[in-house]
Amino acid sequence: MDVSAAVWVVTLVVLGAVLAVDLLIIGRRPHEPSIKESSIWVSFYVALALIFGVGVWVTSGGTIAGEFYAGWLTEYSLSVDNLFVFVIIMSRFAVPRKFQQEVLLIGIILALVMRGGFIAAGAALISQFAWVFYIFGAFLIYTAINLARSGEMDAADYKENVVIRYARRALRVSTDYGTGRFTTTGADGRRMFTPLLLVMIAIGTTDLIFALDSIPAIFGITDEPYLVFTANVFALMGLRQLYFLLGGLLERLVYLSLGLAIILGFIGVKLVLEALADNNVPFINGGEHVSWAPHIPIWLSLTVIIGTLIIATVASLIKSSRDSKKELVSADH
């Protein structure tokens, strides 16, 4: 896929403009969005991603478009998983609902910046060292196993990291959020930080950890930096509205982590197999290609990703419904 500098510039300008509109809306009127408002925005961003994929199909063919859609779906599902942690952070720090939009948007911007850096570093490594795919694949398989074992994080599992603990000790932090800014005036007239700063540190460090999973995952689907970047951007845009749209539904997606573990494990195995097929590492098969290792086609990757997400979602909703009925029966008795 040959992407000119002009296409990169146009893409960055258009996506930046959409994000700027989002910023202006929140900056003008911080509020908790309604279900209708959230639904409109989420639908808009999903439609934008689907239309972009059609454009890729027209200009570069079905295979490349399939890589974009598979990458976008993977990153989108991982981003939804991020929302579980965001919910815990918001609850742990008791962030007022009207300020949560701003926190989420800044968190998404931080995620975009961090992922942009990781994408650039990953693309540079892959172009120079083919053996990086072995590392990416092994890391994804390791992550998938841990995710399958541990399941979804809950409030009891969340622990403040060393950066937050240091910030609490080193900075003067108020007990309330005031007007939703990062600083406020204390009773002694001195400026001090609000808990919003600690929340942003928590969100930012969480974004960094999740970027370590998401970037190898999408490089396992496509090694085109343009597709990697745009898939990440489209997956993160609209995440703020999705947070309010899903609401309590997040707690019902009990098998999402297992589904993501399967997807990450599949991509990890795919990466290792492709690394073996293109092998040039001296101590593996004498530096020769491994003939039995197949290249997994993009249609199969897309089928596995979509199928796993559908099964995990349906199974989660069925289990949650059954659990709710059992609780009602228990309450009646």
Side-chain angles (χ1 to χ4, degrees):
M1 184 180 186
D2 186 19
V3 181
S4 67
V7 173
W8 269 104
V9 170
V10 171
T11 302
L12 291 172
V13 169
V14 172
L15 294 178
V18 174
L19 190 61
V21 171
D22 223 347
L23 272 169
L24 289 173
I25 291 173
I26 292 180
R28 184 185 60 190
R29 188 171 63 90
H31 66 290
E32 179 183 348
S34 65
I35 296 296
K36 180 180 179 181
E37 179 184 343
S38 298
S39 299
I40 291 172
W41 276 100
V42 170
S43 299
F44 168 74
Y45 284 122
V46 170
L48 207 59
L50 294 175
I51 293 170
F52 180 84
V54 172
V56 173
W57 193 313
V58 171
T59 57
S60 303
T63 299
I64 300 298
E67 290 180 4
F68 168 76
Y69 283 130
W72 170 62
L73 282 171
T74 300
E75 294 300 304
Y76 202 76
S77 57
L78 287 169
S79 296
V80 172
D81 197 44
N82 291 12
L83 292 182
F84 283 98
V85 182
F86 289 170
V87 168
I88 292 171
I89 291 173
M90 298 290 190
S91 174
R92 189 67 175 264
F93 286 91
V95 181
R97 295 284 287 183
K98 64 180 180 178
F99 298 143
Q100 290 183 11
Q101 276 212 90
E102 182 180 358
V103 171
L104 287 168
L105 186 59
I106 296 175
I108 290 168
I109 293 173
L110 287 174
L112 283 171
V113 172
M114 291 179 186
R115 293 189 187 195
F118 277 113
I119 289 168
L125 283 172
I126 289 169
S127 65
Q128 296 295 322
F129 309 106
W131 49 262
V132 169
F133 280 116
Y134 286 113
I135 297 176
F136 281 2
F139 177 74
L140 288 178
I141 293 171
Y142 170 78
T143 302
I145 293 171
N146 282 344
L147 192 57
R149 285 178 175 175
S150 62
E152 210 59 71
M153 177 188 288
D154 56 31
D157 297 326
Y158 179 78
K159 299 290 186 298
E160 291 186 358
N161 59 50
V162 63
V163 180
I164 300 174
R165 293 197 298 271
Y166 175 78
R168 283 191 184 276
R169 292 195 305 268
L171 304 173
R172 295 181 69 241
V173 181
S174 66
T175 57
D176 63 82
Y177 287 87
T179 59
R181 297 183 181 277
F182 286 107
T183 60
T184 187
T185 303
D188 57 0
R190 296 171 58 190
R191 301 295 292 178
M192 59 192 307
F193 292 101
T194 66
L196 202 60
L197 178 65
L198 299 180
V199 175
M200 290 314 310
I201 292 173
I203 294 288
T205 49
T206 299
D207 283 338
L208 178 60
I209 294 170
F210 276 109
L212 294 174
D213 294 338
S214 66
I215 299 306
I218 193 167
F219 270 115
I221 295 171
T222 177
D223 58 1
E224 294 288 347
Y226 182 76
L227 295 183
V228 173
F229 175 75
T230 51
N232 268 278
V233 172
F234 280 115
L236 289 171
M237 295 174 78
L239 192 61
R240 171 178 61 83
Q241 292 88 352
L242 189 64
Y243 171 89
F244 292 99
L245 178 61
L246 293 180
L249 181 61
L250 285 172
E251 297 178 359
R252 299 175 62 189
L253 298 177
V254 293
Y255 292 129
L256 179 61
S257 283
L258 181 58
L260 289 175
I262 293 171
I263 291 172
L264 291 178
F266 169 78
I267 296 173
V269 171
K270 177 178 182 289
L271 271 173
V272 172
L273 288 175
E274 293 187 356
L276 288 170
D278 299 327
N279 179 64
N280 59 6
V281 178
F283 57 83
I284 297 178
N285 197 39
E288 298 296 325
H289 304 329
V290 178
S291 59
W292 58 263
H295 281 287
I296 297 177
I298 193 62
W299 66 262
L300 180 57
S301 299
L302 200 53
T303 301
V304 170
I305 292 167
I306 294 175
T308 302
L309 290 175
I310 291 174
I311 292 171
T313 301
V314 172
S316 294
L317 296 178
I318 291 173
K319 184 178 187 304
S320 297
S321 178
R322 288 177 177 174
D323 290 346
S324 297
K325 290 178 180 178
K326 288 179 181 179
E327 290 177 3
L328 288 175
V329 171
S330 300
D332 290 338
H333 291 290

